Amino acid sequence: MLQILLVDDENDALEALEWKLNNYIDNVQVTTCNSPVKAINIINELKPDVVFLDIQMPEMDGFTMIERLEYRDFNLIFTTAHDEFALKAIKVSAIDYLLKPVDKDELLASMEKIKKSKKGDLLENKLKLLLNNLSENGSDKINISADGKVYLLDKEDVVMLKSDKSYTTIFLKSEQQIVVSKTLKEVEKKFQFPEFFRVHNSYLINLNHIKEYLKGLGGELIMTNGLTASISRNRKAELFKKIYLD
């Protein structure tokens, strides 16, 4: 009997998919969870054969939840109501997905593929490929490896990055800090978006999080999280063009 876990913050979606699995698929035991945080513990304890996972949820998205798991030896099917949201990256990574509301025939086809595959089917490798594809296909997600985890950050949540020799600290608007054991030059490659600008050898900032500019020899920026970032004299003119200061 297949152990199946459904993770979705929308109870209506959970109930609908649970009903279809119980009525269209033989020999399944379905567990539901409407919280990705709780689902992490359930997966690590239950060790399901299949996980249906919503992508967009308020506590954390599906990508972040997967990266925080200890147990990953299962077949994964993403579910989403947004057909444009990272689906190209998911498809290239050979991870299955279903659009909500889930179509009966598509559900049957996905389950048939699972029955023919080995448990897990190298999910770890597929997830690594997915993270790379998310970065390379224009996603707003930024994947950062630190503390034995992979963080999937929304670019609007990143206030600034600060260099400390061979380490880089990423400051988020939630006041969380992520310390990466790489130089700012190395980490900067992940932040190739128009919003981010290197104002100093030690600082990479999100232009959308600038709160104030303090005049001085080079000047300083006060960010929305209250921290300051120094501005190099040779970067001031370009910075001013980007934030429309004369």
Side-chain angles (χ1 to χ4, degrees):
M1 179 172 288
L2 282 177
Q3 289 279 352
I4 299 177
L5 175 65
L6 314 182
V7 185
D8 196 317
D9 65 297
E10 299 176 1
N11 288 322
D12 289 347
L14 280 177
E15 292 173 4
L17 183 52
E18 181 182 18
W19 187 91
K20 289 176 183 177
L21 285 166
N22 284 326
N23 284 272
Y24 299 144
I25 311 297
D26 295 328
N27 298 317
V28 296
Q29 183 170 340
V30 183
T31 303
T32 64
C33 181
N34 61 7
S35 164
V37 174
K38 294 178 181 178
I40 292 173
N41 291 329
I42 293 175
I43 290 173
N44 290 333
E45 293 175 8
L46 182 64
K47 295 180 171 52
D49 301 295
V50 187
V51 174
F52 286 81
L53 178 62
D54 188 19
I55 293 178
Q56 292 180 306
M57 295 177 283
E59 291 178 310
M60 68 176 72
D61 63 37
F63 303 126
T64 303
M65 195 207 86
I66 285 292
E67 289 306 320
R68 294 185 180 180
L69 289 174
E70 295 176 8
Y71 180 81
R72 296 180 184 166
D73 189 18
F74 55 81
N75 289 283
L76 174 64
I77 300 177
F78 282 114
T79 60
T80 178
H82 306 276
D83 60 355
E84 79 285 356
F85 189 84
L87 294 191
K88 182 177 179 181
I90 293 170
K91 187 174 182 179
V92 171
S93 307
I95 295 176
D96 210 355
Y97 69 88
L98 295 170
L99 295 178
K100 295 190 292 186
V102 174
D103 177 78
K104 172 187 173 182
D105 292 335
E106 292 180 356
L107 175 62
L108 290 173
S110 291
M111 293 304 296
E112 189 62 30
K113 283 192 287 184
I114 285 173
K115 289 178 181 180
K116 293 178 180 179
S117 69
K118 295 180 180 179
K119 189 178 179 183
D121 196 20
L122 301 177
L123 178 59
E124 192 75 29
N125 292 338
K126 291 180 180 180
L127 287 171
K128 289 178 181 177
L129 182 58
L130 172 60
L131 291 176
N132 290 333
N133 289 330
L134 283 170
S135 294
E136 294 170 4
N137 285 285
S139 169
D140 286 350
K141 295 290 180 182
I142 301 166
N143 66 81
I144 296 293
S145 297
D147 308 320
K149 305 174 185 176
V150 178
Y151 296 87
L152 279 161
L153 306 177
D154 291 315
K155 61 182 183 179
E156 63 266 23
D157 289 338
V158 179
V159 177
M160 72 178 195
L161 290 77
K162 182 179 180 181
S163 171
D164 183 10
K165 297 180 181 178
S166 58
Y167 291 88
T168 299
T169 302
I170 302 172
F171 296 90
L172 306 182
K173 68 180 182 182
S174 65
E175 297 187 1
Q176 180 184 2
Q177 299 178 19
I178 301 172
V179 180
V180 185
S181 56
K182 292 182 179 179
T183 65
L184 181 55
K185 184 178 181 180
E186 293 175 295
V187 179
E188 185 178 12
K189 297 174 184 177
K190 300 275 190 178
F191 292 82
Q192 300 301 310
F193 298 99
E195 295 93 330
F196 292 94
F197 182 67
R198 187 76 171 265
V199 294
H200 188 278
N201 285 340
S202 298
Y203 296 96
L204 175 72
I205 60 106
N206 186 332
L207 297 168
N208 294 330
H209 279 285
I210 296 175
K211 184 178 180 180
E212 297 177 25
Y213 164 65
L214 301 178
K215 295 181 179 180
L217 185 61
E220 284 187 328
L221 297 170
I222 297 179
M223 309 302 291
T224 53
N225 61 356
L227 296 178
T228 60
S230 300
I231 307 169
S232 297
R233 293 180 64 183
N234 60 353
R235 306 311 305 273
K236 185 185 289 189
E238 187 177 353
L239 172 66
F240 284 5
K241 288 180 182 178
K242 290 182 176 292
I243 59 176
Y244 308 106
L245 284 177
D246 294 324

